[in-house]
Amino acid sequence: GAVVSQHPSRVICKSGTSVKIECRSLDFQATTMFWYRQFPKKSLMLMATSNEGSKATYEQGVEKDKFLINHASLTLSTLTVTSAHPEDSSFYICSGTKREGLHNEQFFGPGTRLTVL
Amino acid sequence: GQQLNQSPQSMFIQEGEDVSMNCTSSSIFNTWLWYKQDPGEGPVLLIALYKAGELTSNGRLTAQFGITRKDSFLNISASIPSDVGIYFCAGQLHTDKLIFGTGTRLQVFP
């Protein structure tokens, strides 16, 4: 397998502030990283696809100016929630893609719980 | 965004019972995956299926890739308390992007 970490694991912030979440692949280089959002008792919804050195590709309905993604290296991607509001409160999960045999496998981080007051 | 339909939505079973859940889509996929998510954690891959009709086992888990490429099922035999969690199917087409199912919440009682 492979290990993906996220920092912080949980964060509480005031409405209007910005929050940065880090996603690191600890023992492999992730060709691609993905960011998901999960509301309580719901499924994971893909927000964006992130490739090192290029702009992220956002899914329909996800505001790229609100959710800034920076993929600085093959082991680090960051998601910044700008001007956060209570409706942005959610569980944010990242994943990194690694070649396993003939296929690419996604390894998921432990998630970051964001609460906006 | 697009989601796959999973059923049942939740299951409450006794330890030792077998479990079956399935996932359906209106569109075809090249790969079907099954994940388990524990509370407050990211999902962990259980089984990956790459060919239509493929039947794959991982310990007490068995999954099949439907012949139409629009569905998949997961069976868990002889359930144990640590099987508790949420099970998600996911479909993948040409890129590495995953489309997740709605989830099946499993509760196992001793």
Side-chain angles (χ1 to χ4, degrees):
Chain A
V3 181
V4 174
S5 72
Q6 282 183 241
H7 179 79
S9 57
R10 54 176 66 226
V11 56
I12 301 172
C13 70
K14 289 184 181 176
S15 192
T17 60
S18 294
V19 173
K20 182 189 280 190
I21 302 170
E22 286 187 353
C23 177
R24 291 181 187 271
S25 54
L26 296 185
D27 52 359
F28 68 103
Q29 292 186 322
T31 50
T32 305
M33 286 183 166
F34 296 91
W35 286 95
Y36 297 83
R37 182 167 49 180
Q38 186 178 30
F39 291 108
K41 298 194 176 178
K42 296 293 183 184
S43 186
L44 284 78
M45 297 299 291
L46 180 64
M47 297 175 69
T49 303
S50 171
N51 289 292
E52 184 253 344
S54 61
K55 287 185 182 176
T57 304
Y58 290 81
E59 294 299 300
Q60 199 172 7
V62 178
E63 299 172 59
K64 63 180 186 207
D65 294 329
K66 180 165 185 64
F67 298 100
L68 300 178
I69 292 172
N70 186 335
H71 199 143
S73 73
L74 286 171
T75 59
L76 173 63
S77 176
T78 60
L79 169 70
T80 301
V81 183
T82 62
S83 187
H85 290 285
E87 57 265 29
D88 298 323
S89 299
S90 189
F91 194 51
Y92 291 87
I93 305 173
C94 71
S95 70
T97 299
K98 182 188 174 196
R99 192 74 178 168
E100 293 276 293
L102 296 175
H103 305 282
N104 288 336
E105 184 176 336
Q106 280 190 41
F107 293 90
F108 288 83
T112 296
R113 185 161 305 282
L114 170 63
T115 303
V116 184
L117 302 176
Chain B
Q2 183 186 359
Q3 273 194 330
L4 306 177
N5 291 316
Q6 265 183 260
S7 65
Q9 194 174 21
S10 59
M11 303 181 75
F12 298 85
I13 61 167
Q14 198 118 33
E15 185 178 355
E17 286 183 4
D18 297 343
V19 170
S20 187
M21 60 190 80
N22 75 324
C23 192
T24 58
S25 167
S26 56
S27 48
I28 63 170
F29 288 102
N30 290 337
T31 300
W32 282 92
L33 304 136
W34 284 93
Y35 290 87
K36 179 174 182 265
Q37 185 181 30
D38 291 329
E41 297 289 331
V44 174
L45 181 65
L46 300 174
I47 291 182
L49 303 155
Y50 300 108
K51 258 172 56 170
E54 180 182 354
L55 183 73
T56 297
S57 292
N58 178 7
R60 293 179 297 106
L61 277 59
T62 302
Q64 183 155 33
F65 190 145
I67 202 77
T68 64
R69 294 166 65 192
K70 290 184 179 181
D71 62 337
S72 177
F73 73 74
L74 174 71
N75 286 343
I76 306 173
S77 63
S79 58
I80 58 178
S82 61
D83 290 334
V84 165
I86 306 175
Y87 291 80
F88 290 103
C89 63
Q92 193 174 42
L93 199 49
H94 298 296
T95 68
D96 288 336
K97 277 170 55 168
L98 296 178
I99 307 296
F100 277 86
T102 47
T104 295
R105 187 176 296 267
L106 178 64
Q107 186 66 255
V108 180
F109 294 102

